[in-house]
Amino acid sequence: MKRSDRLVSLMHYFLENPREHTSLPVFGEQYKAAKSSISEDLDIIDRVMRAEGKGYLQTLPGASGGVRFIPELSEENSMAFIRQLCTMLEDPERMLPGGYLYMSDILGDPKMVNYLGRILATAFHDSAIDVVVTVATKGIPLAYATASVLNVPVVIVRRDPRVTEGSSVSINYVSGSSKKIQTMVLPKRSLQEHTNVCIIDDFMKAGGTINGMINLLDEFNANVSAVGVLAEAEDDEDERMVDHYKSLVNITEADGKHQRITAVPGNISPYS
Amino acid sequence: MKRSDRLVSLMHYFLENPREHTSLPVFGEQYKAAKSSISEDLDIIDRVMRAEGKGYLQTLPGASGGVRFIPELSEENSMAFIRQLCTMLEDPERMLPGGYLYMSDILGDPKMVNYLGRILATAFHDSAIDVVVTVATKGIPLAYATASVLNVPVVIVRRDPRVTEGSSVSINYVSGSSKKIQTMVLPKRSLQEHTNVCIIDDFMKAGGTINGMINLLDEFNANVSAVGVLAEAEDDEDERMVDHYKSLVNITEADGKHQRITAVPGNISPYS
């Protein structure tokens, strides 16, 4: 196989299998090529991906040595995208009762969500993450987009127990904004003990829902190593119940009376 | 930019932007390359992707001419994957009360779900689809995976109205298996009139839920052009309420008493 053909095939493989460790002899075998040729292919891919701010190839030395593609999004690409998202969110038509914003169109766009997932995964690249946990329903797409890039599974916490999941652990929690007592459920078999967890959700106000997830995950002796949300909004009355998190955007103003929304990059921004 | 670098960059672009129409001069400009060079690059990509059964480049002639990448999965790749899925599903540990199977681990694996989405999208490549519609919660990942490949948005029908979505249309429907009356809700602003819709869900027994979605979509004058499910299961008592659909696997037996599950490729298989 010629270099040009190998590069096309390898790129498809790396993008379909992010963070998957593959040893060089596997490629050599598959493409019937010398190790030195494969190494040159990988150098080209690594160089182009870095130059475009889209990730890099990580080489793992030693007997079990090999390579894996780490998808990332450069700060420049990320910030340009987040600023565009802020502009979209400031459309007054999005205003809903209770200081909420209509975001289903944004969360319903797979390409946009995949992009946001890559930004979050880039921010969490130093964290130990075995699984992404979210709560039904709106956080699910962003959770999958993030998990895809991190190459880990997704576990979905539900607000209603379902017959189709077997025995489960449930907790009650107080929603920070509405002060209502709510329930969260996670099937026992969905999470092993002592797992490193990244929590993803779409929206955080006082943080009651995410705090509830942290308490539920405590029951599984999980280690919450990262928390990421699409949007955070300020809450006048309450202190935030969650300390360490990354937000993509920050809704600093959602004034229903004057139909005015102000959105700025969240604390994921290096300038925030 | 050299050919090898261009191929790496182009592959990333095509995989990140499936079915997105791009004119050749855009590439020529970006890579500072002659049209003939770009054409040769595209020929290489098209040839390798076809040979590997992973899709092809579609050339659109004329003044607005250009190219777009159609991700597909060859019959051979698809069937090998579906057979592997059947074996996974036949594990007796998956048996849950009521003839249900535990599938959250499969639906929680982004790579597996992305693969399944590609198989469904390949099956629907001739259908007019503007949007993928699913119902919360378990169908969501497969809906996004399918929509990602089709490059269309996702709309999520809910079983509970939520304050954060604005005014909505709701219907009552009878679940085919449990005979219970249930409610489905779709916010008005989430779907325009006369949209071509692909319905995706995780599981279909009698088809009551999908039939309910079809009725709800009727209220939006939508045209349901495709229906796809991960798994269908036979239902002794009822006739199926949905006629035209594609299933990836068919659970022909789920015998709780003898802990026996039999799964075969669904009607998406050319041999079914």
Side-chain angles (χ1 to χ4, degrees), chain A residues 1-13 15-18 20 30-31 41 44-45 47-49 52 54 69 73 93-98 100-105 107-111 113-115 118 136-138 140-141 144 147-148 151-156 158-160 162-167 182 187 189-191, chain B residues 1-13 15-18 20 30-31 41 44-45 47-49 52 54 69 73 93-98 100-105 107-111 113-115 118 136-138 140-141 144 147-148 151-156 158-160 162-167 182 187 189-191:
Chain A
M1 208 185 225
K2 283 166 66 179
R3 160 144 300 141
S4 52
D5 291 26
R6 284 200 309 267
L7 287 171
V8 170
S9 179
L10 280 165
M11 273 307 287
H12 192 280
Y13 177 82
L15 290 170
E16 202 179 34
N17 299 282
E20 191 118 322
Q30 190 186 333
Y31 299 120
D41 297 345
I44 294 168
I45 291 172
R47 179 169 44 73
V48 175
M49 287 295 96
E52 297 192 351
K54 288 174 178 162
F69 176 58
L73 210 57
E93 296 275 312
R94 296 189 175 277
M95 190 67 79
L96 292 169
Y100 288 96
L101 298 190
Y102 183 82
M103 302 201 297
S104 297
D105 57 331
L107 290 169
D109 181 336
K111 196 188 292 181
V113 171
N114 288 340
Y115 227 82
R118 249 163 72 199
T137 308
K138 295 210 190 148
I140 297 176
Y144 272 83
S148 265
N151 192 25
V152 298
V154 177
V155 168
I156 301 173
R158 299 185 65 124
R159 296 177 203 263
D160 58 321
R162 295 267 297 196
V163 67
T164 55
E165 304 247 343
S167 63
Q182 304 195 39
R189 67 202 279 178
S190 60
L191 201 64
Chain B
M1 207 185 230
K2 284 166 65 180
R3 160 143 302 141
S4 52
D5 292 26
R6 283 200 310 267
L7 286 171
V8 169
S9 178
L10 280 166
M11 274 306 287
H12 192 281
Y13 177 82
L15 290 170
E16 203 180 33
N17 298 283
E20 192 119 322
Q30 191 185 332
Y31 299 121
D41 297 344
I44 294 168
I45 291 172
R47 179 169 45 72
V48 175
M49 287 294 97
E52 298 192 350
K54 288 173 178 162
F69 176 58
L73 209 58
E93 297 274 313
R94 295 189 177 277
M95 190 68 78
L96 291 170
Y100 288 96
L101 299 190
Y102 183 82
M103 301 201 298
S104 298
D105 56 332
L107 290 168
D109 180 337
K111 198 188 290 180
V113 171
N114 288 340
Y115 228 81
R118 249 163 70 199
T137 306
K138 294 208 190 149
I140 297 176
Y144 273 82
S148 266
N151 192 26
V152 297
V154 177
V155 167
I156 301 173
R158 299 185 65 123
R159 296 179 204 263
D160 58 320
R162 296 267 299 197
V163 66
T164 54
E165 304 247 342
S167 63
Q182 304 195 39
R189 68 201 280 179
S190 59
L191 200 64

Side-chain angles (χ1 to χ4, degrees), chain A residues 36-64:
Chain A
S36 58
S37 304
I38 300 289
S39 287
E40 282 170 42
D41 297 345
L42 300 178
D43 286 345
I44 294 168
I45 291 172
D46 182 60
R47 179 169 44 73
V48 175
M49 287 295 96
R50 282 179 197 266
E52 297 192 351
K54 288 174 178 162
Y56 60 94
L57 288 181
Q58 189 180 57
T59 311
L60 302 133
S64 66

Side-chain angles (χ1 to χ4, degrees), chain B residues 19 44 57 66 77 100 103 116 128 132 151 158 161 166 185 194 197 219 223 250 256:
Chain B
R19 287 181 168 264
I44 294 168
L57 288 182
N77 290 342
Y100 288 96
M103 301 201 298
L116 296 170
V132 168
N151 192 26
R158 299 185 65 123
V185 188
H194 307 294
V197 168
E219 298 292 319
N223 165 43
N250 187 349

Side-chain angles (χ1 to χ4, degrees), chain A residues 174-194:
Chain A
V174 179
S175 155
S177 315
S178 68
K179 307 284 190 210
K180 269 191 275 186
I181 292 182
Q182 304 195 39
T183 306
M184 268 185 196
V185 187
L186 194 54
K188 270 190 188 163
R189 67 202 279 178
S190 60
L191 201 64
Q192 296 194 310
E193 295 262 303
H194 307 295

